[in-house]
PDB file of all heavy atoms in Angstrom:
ATOM      1  N   ARG A  22      18.281   6.133 -10.886  1.00 98.00           N
ATOM      2  CA  ARG A  22      17.799   5.334  -9.750  1.00 98.00           C
ATOM      3  C   ARG A  22      18.344   3.911  -9.823  1.00 98.00           C
ATOM      4  O   ARG A  22      18.697   3.316  -8.817  1.00 98.00           O
ATOM      5  CB  ARG A  22      16.255   5.358  -9.753  1.00 98.00           C
ATOM      6  CG  ARG A  22      15.569   4.600  -8.647  1.00 98.00           C
ATOM      7  CD  ARG A  22      15.892   5.065  -7.242  1.00 98.00           C
ATOM      8  NE  ARG A  22      15.844   6.492  -7.073  1.00 98.00           N
ATOM      9  CZ  ARG A  22      16.141   7.118  -5.927  1.00 98.00           C
ATOM     10  NH1 ARG A  22      16.470   6.433  -4.846  1.00 98.00           N
ATOM     11  NH2 ARG A  22      16.102   8.427  -5.854  1.00 98.00           N
ATOM     12  N   HIS A  25      21.784   3.841  -8.581  1.00 98.00           N
ATOM     13  CA  HIS A  25      21.735   3.885  -7.108  1.00 98.00           C
ATOM     14  C   HIS A  25      21.404   2.495  -6.543  1.00 98.00           C
ATOM     15  O   HIS A  25      22.013   2.040  -5.574  1.00 98.00           O
ATOM     16  CB  HIS A  25      20.700   4.926  -6.675  1.00 98.00           C
ATOM     17  CG  HIS A  25      20.281   4.821  -5.244  1.00 98.00           C
ATOM     18  ND1 HIS A  25      21.115   5.144  -4.189  1.00 98.00           N
ATOM     19  CD2 HIS A  25      19.113   4.412  -4.672  1.00 98.00           C
ATOM     20  CE1 HIS A  25      20.471   4.939  -3.040  1.00 98.00           C
ATOM     21  NE2 HIS A  25      19.262   4.494  -3.298  1.00 98.00           N
ATOM     22  N   HIS A  54      15.184  -2.372  -2.386  1.00 98.00           N
ATOM     23  CA  HIS A  54      14.751  -1.400  -1.371  1.00 98.00           C
ATOM     24  C   HIS A  54      13.965  -0.225  -1.967  1.00 98.00           C
ATOM     25  O   HIS A  54      13.049   0.280  -1.352  1.00 98.00           O
ATOM     26  CB  HIS A  54      15.942  -0.906  -0.529  1.00 98.00           C
ATOM     27  CG  HIS A  54      16.714   0.194  -1.161  1.00 98.00           C
ATOM     28  ND1 HIS A  54      17.581  -0.005  -2.208  1.00 98.00           N
ATOM     29  CD2 HIS A  54      16.726   1.532  -0.923  1.00 98.00           C
ATOM     30  CE1 HIS A  54      18.105   1.154  -2.584  1.00 98.00           C
ATOM     31  NE2 HIS A  54      17.599   2.099  -1.814  1.00 98.00           N
ATOM     32  N   ASP A  55      14.308   0.195  -3.184  1.00 98.00           N
ATOM     33  CA  ASP A  55      13.598   1.327  -3.810  1.00 98.00           C
ATOM     34  C   ASP A  55      12.692   0.882  -4.962  1.00 98.00           C
ATOM     35  O   ASP A  55      12.455   1.649  -5.889  1.00 98.00           O
ATOM     36  CB  ASP A  55      14.613   2.365  -4.319  1.00 98.00           C
ATOM     37  CG  ASP A  55      15.035   3.362  -3.240  1.00 98.00           C
ATOM     38  OD1 ASP A  55      14.310   3.511  -2.232  1.00 98.00           O
ATOM     39  OD2 ASP A  55      16.095   3.995  -3.409  1.00 98.00           O
ATOM     40  N   CYS A  56      12.163  -0.351  -4.872  1.00 98.00           N
ATOM     41  CA  CYS A  56      11.355  -0.852  -5.991  1.00 98.00           C
ATOM     42  C   CYS A  56      10.049  -0.087  -6.171  1.00 98.00           C
ATOM     43  O   CYS A  56       9.404  -0.182  -7.213  1.00 98.00           O
ATOM     44  CB  CYS A  56      11.090  -2.361  -5.873  1.00 98.00           C
ATOM     45  SG  CYS A  56       9.973  -2.833  -4.546  1.00 98.00           S
ATOM     46  N   LYS A  58      10.006   3.309  -5.697  1.00 98.00           N
ATOM     47  CA  LYS A  58      10.427   4.712  -5.758  1.00 98.00           C
ATOM     48  C   LYS A  58       9.977   5.378  -7.057  1.00 98.00           C
ATOM     49  O   LYS A  58       9.734   6.583  -7.083  1.00 98.00           O
ATOM     50  CB  LYS A  58      11.955   4.775  -5.639  1.00 98.00           C
ATOM     51  CG  LYS A  58      12.529   6.150  -5.504  1.00 98.00           C
ATOM     52  CD  LYS A  58      12.459   6.678  -4.099  1.00 98.00           C
ATOM     53  CE  LYS A  58      13.083   8.065  -4.019  1.00 98.00           C
ATOM     54  NZ  LYS A  58      13.176   8.538  -2.646  1.00 98.00           N
ATOM     55  N   PHE A  85       5.984  10.364  -0.654  1.00 97.00           N
ATOM     56  CA  PHE A  85       7.214   9.680  -1.076  1.00 97.00           C
ATOM     57  C   PHE A  85       7.696   8.739   0.024  1.00 97.00           C
ATOM     58  O   PHE A  85       8.321   7.717  -0.245  1.00 97.00           O
ATOM     59  CB  PHE A  85       8.317  10.683  -1.462  1.00 97.00           C
ATOM     60  CG  PHE A  85       9.051  11.262  -0.284  1.00 97.00           C
ATOM     61  CD1 PHE A  85      10.230  10.663   0.179  1.00 97.00           C
ATOM     62  CD2 PHE A  85       8.570  12.369   0.385  1.00 97.00           C
ATOM     63  CE1 PHE A  85      10.905  11.177   1.279  1.00 97.00           C
ATOM     64  CE2 PHE A  85       9.237  12.887   1.492  1.00 97.00           C
ATOM     65  CZ  PHE A  85      10.396  12.290   1.940  1.00 97.00           C
ATOM     66  N   LEU A  86       7.365   9.087   1.287  1.00 98.00           N
ATOM     67  CA  LEU A  86       7.780   8.212   2.404  1.00 98.00           C
ATOM     68  C   LEU A  86       7.202   6.803   2.258  1.00 98.00           C
ATOM     69  O   LEU A  86       7.784   5.831   2.751  1.00 98.00           O
ATOM     70  CB  LEU A  86       7.343   8.811   3.748  1.00 98.00           C
ATOM     71  CG  LEU A  86       8.146  10.017   4.255  1.00 98.00           C
ATOM     72  CD1 LEU A  86       7.450  10.645   5.463  1.00 98.00           C
ATOM     73  CD2 LEU A  86       9.578   9.602   4.629  1.00 98.00           C
ATOM     74  N   HIS A  88       7.192   4.940  -0.188  1.00 98.00           N
ATOM     75  CA  HIS A  88       7.877   4.014  -1.097  1.00 98.00           C
ATOM     76  C   HIS A  88       8.537   2.864  -0.332  1.00 98.00           C
ATOM     77  O   HIS A  88       8.769   1.797  -0.892  1.00 98.00           O
ATOM     78  CB  HIS A  88       8.881   4.733  -2.016  1.00 98.00           C
ATOM     79  CG  HIS A  88      10.201   5.079  -1.389  1.00 98.00           C
ATOM     80  ND1 HIS A  88      10.396   6.205  -0.620  1.00 98.00           N
ATOM     81  CD2 HIS A  88      11.392   4.428  -1.403  1.00 98.00           C
ATOM     82  CE1 HIS A  88      11.665   6.232  -0.218  1.00 98.00           C
ATOM     83  NE2 HIS A  88      12.289   5.164  -0.671  1.00 98.00           N
ATOM     84  N   ALA A  89       8.796   3.070   0.965  1.00 98.00           N
ATOM     85  CA  ALA A  89       9.408   2.001   1.752  1.00 98.00           C
ATOM     86  C   ALA A  89       8.373   0.902   2.060  1.00 98.00           C
ATOM     87  O   ALA A  89       8.600  -0.284   1.765  1.00 98.00           O
ATOM     88  CB  ALA A  89      10.009   2.593   3.028  1.00 98.00           C
ATOM     89  N   ILE A 111      13.485  -3.534   3.715  1.00 99.00           N
ATOM     90  CA  ILE A 111      12.909  -2.641   2.693  1.00 99.00           C
ATOM     91  C   ILE A 111      11.922  -1.678   3.366  1.00 99.00           C
ATOM     92  O   ILE A 111      11.958  -0.464   3.161  1.00 99.00           O
ATOM     93  CB  ILE A 111      12.208  -3.466   1.592  1.00 99.00           C
ATOM     94  CG1 ILE A 111      13.236  -4.382   0.904  1.00 99.00           C
ATOM     95  CG2 ILE A 111      11.522  -2.549   0.579  1.00 99.00           C
ATOM     96  CD1 ILE A 111      12.635  -5.420  -0.020  1.00 99.00           C
ATOM     97  N   HIS A 114      13.672   1.236   5.472  1.00 98.00           N
ATOM     98  CA  HIS A 114      14.952   1.793   5.016  1.00 98.00           C
ATOM     99  C   HIS A 114      15.016   3.319   5.036  1.00 98.00           C
ATOM    100  O   HIS A 114      16.099   3.885   5.007  1.00 98.00           O
ATOM    101  CB  HIS A 114      15.336   1.240   3.631  1.00 98.00           C
ATOM    102  CG  HIS A 114      14.693   1.950   2.472  1.00 98.00           C
ATOM    103  ND1 HIS A 114      13.540   1.519   1.873  1.00 98.00           N
ATOM    104  CD2 HIS A 114      15.039   3.087   1.810  1.00 98.00           C
ATOM    105  CE1 HIS A 114      13.221   2.343   0.882  1.00 98.00           C
ATOM    106  NE2 HIS A 114      14.110   3.318   0.824  1.00 98.00           N
ATOM    107  N   THR A 115      13.875   3.993   5.107  1.00 98.00           N
ATOM    108  CA  THR A 115      13.926   5.467   5.064  1.00 98.00           C
ATOM    109  C   THR A 115      14.011   6.093   6.456  1.00 98.00           C
ATOM    110  O   THR A 115      14.844   6.979   6.683  1.00 98.00           O
ATOM    111  CB  THR A 115      12.707   6.026   4.297  1.00 98.00           C
ATOM    112  OG1 THR A 115      12.689   5.440   2.989  1.00 98.00           O
ATOM    113  CG2 THR A 115      12.785   7.543   4.156  1.00 98.00           C
ATOM    114  N   ASP A 132      22.199   2.577   1.787  1.00 98.00           N
ATOM    115  CA  ASP A 132      21.403   3.548   1.034  1.00 98.00           C
ATOM    116  C   ASP A 132      22.045   4.942   1.108  1.00 98.00           C
ATOM    117  O   ASP A 132      22.041   5.699   0.143  1.00 98.00           O
ATOM    118  CB  ASP A 132      20.005   3.577   1.667  1.00 98.00           C
ATOM    119  CG  ASP A 132      18.981   4.278   0.806  1.00 98.00           C
ATOM    120  OD1 ASP A 132      19.218   4.464  -0.396  1.00 98.00           O
ATOM    121  OD2 ASP A 132      17.918   4.639   1.347  1.00 98.00           O
ATOM    122  N   ARG A 138      26.214   8.316  -4.090  1.00 97.00           N
ATOM    123  CA  ARG A 138      25.800   9.462  -3.259  1.00 97.00           C
ATOM    124  C   ARG A 138      26.960  10.440  -3.181  1.00 97.00           C
ATOM    125  O   ARG A 138      28.094  10.061  -2.862  1.00 97.00           O
ATOM    126  CB  ARG A 138      25.485   8.993  -1.836  1.00 97.00           C
ATOM    127  CG  ARG A 138      24.261   8.135  -1.741  1.00 97.00           C
ATOM    128  CD  ARG A 138      23.055   8.985  -1.401  1.00 97.00           C
ATOM    129  NE  ARG A 138      21.947   8.156  -0.987  1.00 97.00           N
ATOM    130  CZ  ARG A 138      20.701   8.303  -1.442  1.00 97.00           C
ATOM    131  NH1 ARG A 138      20.412   9.239  -2.314  1.00 97.00           N
ATOM    132  NH2 ARG A 138      19.751   7.514  -0.995  1.00 97.00           N
TER     133      ARG A 138
HETATM  134 FE1   FE G   2      14.372   4.873  -0.540  1.00 96.14          FE
END
Side-chain angles (χ1 to χ4, degrees):
R22 181 60 46 182
H25 164 70
H54 83 285
D55 274 340
C56 70
K58 188 81 179 187
F85 80 93
L86 286 170
H88 79 277
I111 299 169
H114 83 265
T115 304
D132 194 17
R138 292 266 194 227

